[in-house]
Amino acid sequence: MTTKKAPPLHLVSTPMESTGSRRAPARKTVSTPPRIALALAGGGPLGAIYEIGALCAMDESLDGLDLTRLDHYVGVSAGGFIAAALANGMTPREMCAGFIENSDESAEVFDPSWLMKPAWGEYVRRAIMLPGLTASALWRLLVERRSLISALERLGPGLPTGVFASDEVDRRLSALFSRNGRTNDFRQLKTKLTLVATNLDSGESAPFGRPGWDHVPISKAVQASSALPGLFPPVEIDEHYFVDGALKKTMHASVALDDGIDLMLCVNPLVPYDATLPEVMQVMQRGLPPEKRRIPRIVDGGLPSVLSQTFRSIIHSRMALGMKGYERAYPDTDILLFEPDHRDPELYLANTFSYGQRRHLAEHAYQQTRRLLRSRRSHFTARFAPHGIELNMDVLDDPRRRLVTPLQPGSRVGQAIVSLQEVMEDLGDIVTLANRRRRAA
């Protein structure tokens, strides 16, 4: 790992919580640099926006951390795209230019609209089966005198396994990773990269990039890892079918932890939203449009909101249990988790397919991550110091820093409350650290 100065601008999504093992690793010497890994969970286009933003803020604010030169990258679903790009030497700012800004200067644009193309091939394959299935259903209903429900079951194989095609992901990423200085071959990378999918027939995890799984092109592994069932058809690889890696686990950080890691950075973009906002949080949101300030009740958003909250809660509770398991199983590894604030409605209400809103969300994520690092500076300083990483407070305290476009200015009262909260959170961390040292002594 090489120490570097903070780059001009980078982005991040709102990581508002971090956890670490109780025992910090011993300080590394110059001859033995720390082994650092990064695990990125999924979350669709929204998750990618969060992760790019969070990583940009970290890249800018943490001296001694080079996110393109880590020892191991683990990606699941949308996190697989980010992990593969980092392992290929793309900086978070470069990903921001292509994925968030779609700037004319960037020849490497990843447009979420690619994921909205109908899976015509899947529709045709299933349609060919319908005449025979219909005849079988009528036979069961009219000749065998079975129930209508029983007859309709015969039509099940004629239903498409996905609504949208994901082949464009493989094609575009294959071209992106085949450029000079990059590779679409796991075996040619200078670092470890693991992209996790799920074998549809066995239900077992498929760690593409590991021995026995590293012959698959990186772009194809990203496509398989992000094939959310029902939305995208399963991806065929070596006569097996694979779907989203999050079916088995949310984070899959153990893939890197098993190799022996000193510092494990985890980024999770999906959290359940806490709609029971206190008055203080409502004051902080006065700079937002009225419809974005809060959701009085999740149920008021109808079925989409209920399903979103349910999905987020299931995913997050499983991940929280996994993080506790990691801390028990790997006590000599510092484990830090970055994720959005559960009280923040921005990511919950977002439409990531809107170009303008993607820019706004990226800026929001960037600023919220900076706020997290500022407000818990004592906590992060203690966690990062053994690994030769320092918070650049000149960068974090600079109020003029922006990622893409300026945020709407909040009220002075709201800004004062935010500053007060940052001070209180940092004081809380100082007291916690002092108590731990006293108990250790």
Side-chain angles (χ1 to χ4, degrees), residues 184-200:
N184 200 31
D185 189 333
F186 285 101
R187 296 163 295 189
Q188 300 298 321
L189 289 171
K190 298 178 181 178
T191 185
K192 292 182 180 179
L193 169 66
T194 305
L195 304 176
V196 185
T198 303
N199 187 312
L200 185 60

PDB file of all heavy atoms in Angstrom, residues 184-200:
ATOM      1  N   ASN A 184     -10.048  -8.669 -18.792  1.00  0.00           N
ATOM      2  CA  ASN A 184     -11.322  -9.321 -18.515  1.00  0.00           C
ATOM      3  C   ASN A 184     -11.101 -10.751 -18.017  1.00  0.00           C
ATOM      4  O   ASN A 184     -12.020 -11.551 -17.979  1.00  0.00           O
ATOM      5  CB  ASN A 184     -12.194  -9.345 -19.782  1.00  0.00           C
ATOM      6  CG  ASN A 184     -13.662  -9.553 -19.475  1.00  0.00           C
ATOM      7  OD1 ASN A 184     -14.166  -9.152 -18.431  1.00  0.00           O
ATOM      8  ND2 ASN A 184     -14.378 -10.195 -20.385  1.00  0.00           N
ATOM      9  N   ASP A 185      -9.855 -11.037 -17.616  1.00  0.00           N
ATOM     10  CA  ASP A 185      -9.458 -12.361 -17.164  1.00  0.00           C
ATOM     11  C   ASP A 185      -9.023 -12.279 -15.697  1.00  0.00           C
ATOM     12  O   ASP A 185      -8.076 -11.559 -15.361  1.00  0.00           O
ATOM     13  CB  ASP A 185      -8.306 -12.883 -18.025  1.00  0.00           C
ATOM     14  CG  ASP A 185      -7.975 -14.343 -17.764  1.00  0.00           C
ATOM     15  OD1 ASP A 185      -8.223 -14.826 -16.641  1.00  0.00           O
ATOM     16  OD2 ASP A 185      -7.455 -15.003 -18.692  1.00  0.00           O
ATOM     17  N   PHE A 186      -9.718 -12.999 -14.818  1.00  0.00           N
ATOM     18  CA  PHE A 186      -9.355 -12.987 -13.397  1.00  0.00           C
ATOM     19  C   PHE A 186      -7.880 -13.321 -13.196  1.00  0.00           C
ATOM     20  O   PHE A 186      -7.216 -12.755 -12.318  1.00  0.00           O
ATOM     21  CB  PHE A 186     -10.192 -14.027 -12.635  1.00  0.00           C
ATOM     22  CG  PHE A 186     -11.627 -13.637 -12.401  1.00  0.00           C
ATOM     23  CD1 PHE A 186     -12.638 -14.158 -13.190  1.00  0.00           C
ATOM     24  CD2 PHE A 186     -11.960 -12.777 -11.370  1.00  0.00           C
ATOM     25  CE1 PHE A 186     -13.970 -13.820 -12.965  1.00  0.00           C
ATOM     26  CE2 PHE A 186     -13.279 -12.430 -11.128  1.00  0.00           C
ATOM     27  CZ  PHE A 186     -14.297 -12.951 -11.933  1.00  0.00           C
ATOM     28  N   ARG A 187      -7.370 -14.242 -13.988  1.00  0.00           N
ATOM     29  CA  ARG A 187      -6.008 -14.741 -13.797  1.00  0.00           C
ATOM     30  C   ARG A 187      -4.944 -13.720 -14.170  1.00  0.00           C
ATOM     31  O   ARG A 187      -3.778 -13.871 -13.791  1.00  0.00           O
ATOM     32  CB  ARG A 187      -5.824 -16.025 -14.603  1.00  0.00           C
ATOM     33  CG  ARG A 187      -6.730 -17.168 -14.136  1.00  0.00           C
ATOM     34  CD  ARG A 187      -6.854 -18.267 -15.158  1.00  0.00           C
ATOM     35  NE  ARG A 187      -7.532 -17.811 -16.376  1.00  0.00           N
ATOM     36  CZ  ARG A 187      -7.920 -18.623 -17.364  1.00  0.00           C
ATOM     37  NH1 ARG A 187      -7.706 -19.926 -17.249  1.00  0.00           N
ATOM     38  NH2 ARG A 187      -8.525 -18.142 -18.428  1.00  0.00           N
ATOM     39  N   GLN A 188      -5.322 -12.688 -14.898  1.00  0.00           N
ATOM     40  CA  GLN A 188      -4.370 -11.664 -15.314  1.00  0.00           C
ATOM     41  C   GLN A 188      -4.347 -10.452 -14.390  1.00  0.00           C
ATOM     42  O   GLN A 188      -3.523  -9.552 -14.561  1.00  0.00           O
ATOM     43  CB  GLN A 188      -4.696 -11.194 -16.742  1.00  0.00           C
ATOM     44  CG  GLN A 188      -4.633 -12.296 -17.783  1.00  0.00           C
ATOM     45  CD  GLN A 188      -3.247 -12.908 -17.900  1.00  0.00           C
ATOM     46  OE1 GLN A 188      -2.241 -12.203 -17.838  1.00  0.00           O
ATOM     47  NE2 GLN A 188      -3.189 -14.231 -18.061  1.00  0.00           N
ATOM     48  N   LEU A 189      -5.234 -10.402 -13.420  1.00  0.00           N
ATOM     49  CA  LEU A 189      -5.279  -9.279 -12.492  1.00  0.00           C
ATOM     50  C   LEU A 189      -4.072  -9.292 -11.561  1.00  0.00           C
ATOM     51  O   LEU A 189      -3.525 -10.350 -11.237  1.00  0.00           O
ATOM     52  CB  LEU A 189      -6.560  -9.330 -11.658  1.00  0.00           C
ATOM     53  CG  LEU A 189      -7.879  -9.024 -12.375  1.00  0.00           C
ATOM     54  CD1 LEU A 189      -9.056  -9.332 -11.456  1.00  0.00           C
ATOM     55  CD2 LEU A 189      -7.933  -7.573 -12.835  1.00  0.00           C
ATOM     56  N   LYS A 190      -3.676  -8.120 -11.091  1.00  0.00           N
ATOM     57  CA  LYS A 190      -2.561  -8.007 -10.162  1.00  0.00           C
ATOM     58  C   LYS A 190      -3.008  -8.205  -8.723  1.00  0.00           C
ATOM     59  O   LYS A 190      -2.182  -8.212  -7.805  1.00  0.00           O
ATOM     60  CB  LYS A 190      -1.894  -6.640 -10.320  1.00  0.00           C
ATOM     61  CG  LYS A 190      -1.298  -6.407 -11.706  1.00  0.00           C
ATOM     62  CD  LYS A 190      -0.692  -5.033 -11.822  1.00  0.00           C
ATOM     63  CE  LYS A 190      -0.121  -4.804 -13.217  1.00  0.00           C
ATOM     64  NZ  LYS A 190       0.446  -3.433 -13.352  1.00  0.00           N
ATOM     65  N   THR A 191      -4.302  -8.333  -8.496  1.00  0.00           N
ATOM     66  CA  THR A 191      -4.848  -8.509  -7.157  1.00  0.00           C
ATOM     67  C   THR A 191      -5.942  -9.565  -7.208  1.00  0.00           C
ATOM     68  O   THR A 191      -6.296 -10.055  -8.278  1.00  0.00           O
ATOM     69  CB  THR A 191      -5.409  -7.176  -6.634  1.00  0.00           C
ATOM     70  OG1 THR A 191      -5.833  -7.327  -5.281  1.00  0.00           O
ATOM     71  CG2 THR A 191      -6.591  -6.709  -7.479  1.00  0.00           C
ATOM     72  N   LYS A 192      -6.500  -9.897  -6.057  1.00  0.00           N
ATOM     73  CA  LYS A 192      -7.564 -10.889  -5.999  1.00  0.00           C
ATOM     74  C   LYS A 192      -8.919 -10.218  -6.184  1.00  0.00           C
ATOM     75  O   LYS A 192      -9.195  -9.176  -5.590  1.00  0.00           O
ATOM     76  CB  LYS A 192      -7.537 -11.641  -4.664  1.00  0.00           C
ATOM     77  CG  LYS A 192      -6.329 -12.538  -4.475  1.00  0.00           C
ATOM     78  CD  LYS A 192      -6.416 -13.266  -3.147  1.00  0.00           C
ATOM     79  CE  LYS A 192      -5.197 -14.163  -2.942  1.00  0.00           C
ATOM     80  NZ  LYS A 192      -5.247 -14.871  -1.634  1.00  0.00           N
ATOM     81  N   LEU A 193      -9.746 -10.840  -6.986  1.00  0.00           N
ATOM     82  CA  LEU A 193     -11.104 -10.362  -7.214  1.00  0.00           C
ATOM     83  C   LEU A 193     -12.034 -11.568  -7.164  1.00  0.00           C
ATOM     84  O   LEU A 193     -11.817 -12.551  -7.881  1.00  0.00           O
ATOM     85  CB  LEU A 193     -11.219  -9.663  -8.570  1.00  0.00           C
ATOM     86  CG  LEU A 193     -12.652  -9.351  -9.050  1.00  0.00           C
ATOM     87  CD1 LEU A 193     -13.311  -8.321  -8.132  1.00  0.00           C
ATOM     88  CD2 LEU A 193     -12.637  -8.853 -10.499  1.00  0.00           C
ATOM     89  N   THR A 194     -13.059 -11.493  -6.322  1.00  0.00           N
ATOM     90  CA  THR A 194     -14.056 -12.556  -6.227  1.00  0.00           C
ATOM     91  C   THR A 194     -15.443 -11.962  -6.442  1.00  0.00           C
ATOM     92  O   THR A 194     -15.833 -11.025  -5.729  1.00  0.00           O
ATOM     93  CB  THR A 194     -14.012 -13.258  -4.856  1.00  0.00           C
ATOM     94  OG1 THR A 194     -12.688 -13.744  -4.612  1.00  0.00           O
ATOM     95  CG2 THR A 194     -14.994 -14.422  -4.822  1.00  0.00           C
ATOM     96  N   LEU A 195     -16.151 -12.470  -7.428  1.00  0.00           N
ATOM     97  CA  LEU A 195     -17.513 -12.039  -7.727  1.00  0.00           C
ATOM     98  C   LEU A 195     -18.440 -13.224  -7.464  1.00  0.00           C
ATOM     99  O   LEU A 195     -18.300 -14.276  -8.089  1.00  0.00           O
ATOM    100  CB  LEU A 195     -17.618 -11.581  -9.186  1.00  0.00           C
ATOM    101  CG  LEU A 195     -16.643 -10.472  -9.592  1.00  0.00           C
ATOM    102  CD1 LEU A 195     -16.762 -10.171 -11.075  1.00  0.00           C
ATOM    103  CD2 LEU A 195     -16.890  -9.212  -8.773  1.00  0.00           C
ATOM    104  N   VAL A 196     -19.364 -13.053  -6.540  1.00  0.00           N
ATOM    105  CA  VAL A 196     -20.164 -14.177  -6.061  1.00  0.00           C
ATOM    106  C   VAL A 196     -21.537 -14.194  -6.713  1.00  0.00           C
ATOM    107  O   VAL A 196     -22.261 -13.196  -6.708  1.00  0.00           O
ATOM    108  CB  VAL A 196     -20.312 -14.128  -4.532  1.00  0.00           C
ATOM    109  CG1 VAL A 196     -21.044 -15.381  -4.035  1.00  0.00           C
ATOM    110  CG2 VAL A 196     -18.947 -14.027  -3.861  1.00  0.00           C
ATOM    111  N   ALA A 197     -21.890 -15.339  -7.286  1.00  0.00           N
ATOM    112  CA  ALA A 197     -23.226 -15.600  -7.817  1.00  0.00           C
ATOM    113  C   ALA A 197     -23.783 -16.823  -7.090  1.00  0.00           C
ATOM    114  O   ALA A 197     -23.133 -17.384  -6.206  1.00  0.00           O
ATOM    115  CB  ALA A 197     -23.177 -15.831  -9.329  1.00  0.00           C
ATOM    116  N   THR A 198     -25.004 -17.227  -7.456  1.00  0.00           N
ATOM    117  CA  THR A 198     -25.637 -18.395  -6.845  1.00  0.00           C
ATOM    118  C   THR A 198     -26.004 -19.398  -7.921  1.00  0.00           C
ATOM    119  O   THR A 198     -26.655 -19.040  -8.907  1.00  0.00           O
ATOM    120  CB  THR A 198     -26.905 -17.992  -6.067  1.00  0.00           C
ATOM    121  OG1 THR A 198     -26.574 -17.007  -5.080  1.00  0.00           O
ATOM    122  CG2 THR A 198     -27.520 -19.206  -5.387  1.00  0.00           C
ATOM    123  N   ASN A 199     -25.586 -20.645  -7.738  1.00  0.00           N
ATOM    124  CA  ASN A 199     -25.972 -21.711  -8.656  1.00  0.00           C
ATOM    125  C   ASN A 199     -27.455 -22.002  -8.459  1.00  0.00           C
ATOM    126  O   ASN A 199     -27.881 -22.403  -7.376  1.00  0.00           O
ATOM    127  CB  ASN A 199     -25.133 -22.962  -8.378  1.00  0.00           C
ATOM    128  CG  ASN A 199     -25.360 -24.051  -9.416  1.00  0.00           C
ATOM    129  OD1 ASN A 199     -26.495 -24.385  -9.762  1.00  0.00           O
ATOM    130  ND2 ASN A 199     -24.273 -24.621  -9.915  1.00  0.00           N
ATOM    131  N   LEU A 200     -28.238 -21.782  -9.487  1.00  0.00           N
ATOM    132  CA  LEU A 200     -29.698 -21.889  -9.365  1.00  0.00           C
ATOM    133  C   LEU A 200     -30.142 -23.309  -9.026  1.00  0.00           C
ATOM    134  O   LEU A 200     -31.114 -23.499  -8.282  1.00  0.00           O
ATOM    135  CB  LEU A 200     -30.363 -21.430 -10.669  1.00  0.00           C
ATOM    136  CG  LEU A 200     -31.888 -21.361 -10.674  1.00  0.00           C
ATOM    137  CD1 LEU A 200     -32.396 -20.385  -9.622  1.00  0.00           C
ATOM    138  CD2 LEU A 200     -32.392 -20.960 -12.058  1.00  0.00           C
TER     139      LEU A 200
END
